[in-house]
Amino acid sequence: MRMKALDGWRGIGALAVCFIHLQLNGYLTSVPSLDSWTLAVDFFFVLSGFVIARVYADELADGERVAIFAVRRLGRLWPLHLSMLALFIVVELAKLALQRETGFSSEHAAFAAARNPSDILPIALFLQTVRLGPELTWNFPSWSISAEIWTYAVFALVAVRTAGRPDRRMVVAGVIALAAWLILVVDITGRGMISTDVFGIVRCLLGFFSGVLAECLHRRGSFRSLADGRAEIPMALAGIGLVWATASLPEARYFAPLVFLALVFAHADDRGLLSRFMATWPVQWLGRLSYSIYLTHLFLVAYVVPRLSQTIDRLMPDAVATREGLVAAIYIALVMAFSLATWRFIELPGQRLAAAIAGRIRQSQTLSSKYSRSQLEITRL
């Protein structure tokens, strides 16, 4: 089941994150702060909650189906996550070998600072959010994937407990979202809606179950005027306004779940002008590559962009804005090429493997069910 407008928005959000990390690492100094663009992550959470609920909510009625859900989601997320972590490790090992063989020391020592070896196993197992503290290491955008994995577990439990009772599911989703929002408002760490640790899981629960609530309302036929296509542009402008307001008023972030709920809801039926734009093939490809874009770009920021920037600095020492624009354009081109490769050779094989494993589980479940019925018939005889 594909929702083209939402796929397109996912790709645009992934690109926004690319630019954020380019600026945070000092390569986009000539433009205003992009800190508020981190709201793209909260948009991802809401969008994910809507899509996952639409695809899986009615399926998750027992343990076997939950197992299939878990396999398919891990097959979607884990292969690329592990591959990118491994690639970071390979580069650090190469730096270490170079230091030992030649005595040459790069600007950043191997396995130091944000490349702490003790973090490798927790990150590989999606455990980086099960902690307190803002420190992020290695391929740190993966913190949100870790948070979402834990949120999937909560969602599966809710779906099983509310199977066949969509109204109850809607109420539970609303309660979870409200409770998560209140926890973040009173967050003792002071990070609230920018949390990336254990409170990052709460942040994900807030966004994800806001999306689940939106899907429940959409399925019930509520607020149909919001989904008829005419609200797409106003809701998109509301989202842009939120990002703009957050730049000067950080507390505006706390309105993000509600604004993004409405934005996702408005695009759910693919009926408006923006939906037609999102359905164009360039935007659809952007959406298809969004997960790869999200997880590969930091590798380029860490290891490729510094050399690229130094080279262009030497060629254009005085034109700061032009120089940074050229670095950004080449960087995005490299991200897209890299993402296309990882999507083709890592994401797709991982999804096919997960689908095969899920098929075996489903087949085993079918055979077990047939065997149970046969035994019952024999007993009756």
Side-chain angles (χ1 to χ4, degrees):
M1 179 185 297
R2 299 196 68 83
M3 286 166 271
K4 291 184 177 181
L6 299 185
D7 279 349
W9 275 111
R10 184 185 289 113
I12 291 171
L15 270 188
V17 174
C18 285
F19 283 107
I20 293 165
H21 291 139
L22 194 63
Q23 186 179 75
L24 289 177
N25 284 270
Y27 301 109
L28 278 181
T29 60
S30 59
V31 299
S33 173
L34 303 179
D35 286 355
S36 62
W37 287 23
T38 55
L39 284 167
V41 177
D42 300 285
F43 177 65
F44 286 149
F45 290 150
V46 177
L47 191 155
S48 180
F50 187 97
V51 173
I52 293 295
R54 175 58 54 90
V55 175
Y56 290 105
D58 291 335
E59 290 188 9
L60 301 181
D62 52 47
E64 288 82 1
R65 294 179 188 182
V66 169
I68 292 171
F69 169 71
V71 167
R72 294 187 74 96
R73 296 318 298 162
L74 285 173
R76 175 76 177 90
L77 302 177
W78 211 359
L80 183 59
H81 169 64
L82 287 180
S83 297
M84 290 310 303
L85 180 59
L87 192 56
F88 273 85
I89 294 170
V90 166
V91 172
E92 292 301 306
L93 286 171
K95 287 167 59 178
L96 184 62
L98 185 64
Q99 289 170 203
R100 290 181 174 178
E101 290 295 324
T102 66
F104 172 78
S105 179
S106 64
E107 182 181 351
H108 301 288
F111 295 104
R115 308 288 181 259
N116 189 336
S118 65
D119 291 333
I120 293 174
L121 184 59
I123 290 174
L125 298 177
F126 291 120
L127 296 174
Q128 63 266 50
T129 47
V130 189
R131 60 177 176 78
L132 278 172
E135 297 82 9
L136 292 170
T137 59
W138 295 94
N139 193 18
F140 55 78
S142 66
W143 77 265
S144 64
I145 312 302
S146 167
E148 194 152 327
I149 288 291
W150 292 100
T151 300
Y152 288 158
V154 178
F155 170 74
L157 177 61
V158 169
V160 170
R161 299 293 293 178
T162 60
R165 290 173 288 182
D167 288 345
R168 183 174 180 181
R169 183 187 307 137
M170 180 177 66
V171 172
V172 172
V175 168
I176 291 174
L178 178 59
W181 186 83
L182 291 172
I183 289 171
L184 291 175
V185 167
V186 300
D187 177 13
I188 58 173
T189 68
R191 293 177 60 78
M193 285 292 290
I194 60 171
S195 297
T196 57
D197 54 6
V198 69
F199 286 98
I201 299 177
V202 179
R203 179 180 168 190
C204 183
L205 286 168
L206 168 57
F208 189 95
F209 279 95
S210 295
V212 174
L213 177 61
E215 196 278 333
C216 291
L217 291 169
H218 185 269
R219 188 180 301 221
R220 280 168 54 94
S222 304
F223 306 110
R224 296 311 300 170
S225 60
L226 188 60
D228 64 5
R230 290 176 294 179
E232 287 185 354
I233 292 177
M235 289 302 100
L237 291 175
I240 294 170
L242 175 68
V243 173
W244 176 80
T246 301
S248 56
L249 184 66
E251 291 78 9
R253 286 179 177 274
Y254 290 93
F255 293 98
L258 182 60
V259 173
F260 292 149
L261 181 157
L263 177 59
V264 168
F265 197 101
H267 289 81
D269 287 338
D270 291 332
R271 295 174 62 182
L273 183 63
L274 275 180
S275 286
R276 288 194 288 274
F277 169 73
M278 295 295 176
T280 59
W281 72 264
V283 184
Q284 285 298 291
W285 265 105
L286 195 62
R288 193 169 287 123
L289 299 181
S290 59
Y291 182 52
S292 277
I293 291 170
Y294 187 72
L295 277 195
T296 61
H297 74 274
L298 192 71
F299 179 85
L300 297 174
V301 172
Y303 298 118
V304 176
V305 173
R307 304 295 175 265
L308 173 66
S309 181
Q310 289 172 7
T311 301
I312 295 178
D313 282 355
R314 287 195 293 269
L315 296 174
M316 308 171 67
D318 299 320
V320 176
T322 303
R323 185 175 70 232
E324 292 187 348
L326 184 58
V327 168
I330 296 173
Y331 159 69
I332 291 300
L334 291 173
V335 168
M336 296 303 296
F338 193 12
S339 298
L340 181 60
T342 55
W343 173 78
R344 172 65 182 82
F345 297 108
I346 299 175
E347 283 196 64
L348 289 184
Q351 291 174 40
R352 285 194 289 266
L353 176 61
I357 295 172
R360 292 192 188 99
I361 296 173
R362 187 177 289 109
Q363 185 179 26
S364 174
Q365 179 185 8
T366 301
L367 291 174
S368 175
S369 177
K370 288 181 178 178
Y371 176 77
S372 299
R373 286 198 298 269
S374 298
Q375 290 296 102
L376 179 60
E377 290 171 2
I378 291 171
T379 303
R380 286 174 177 172
L381 291 173

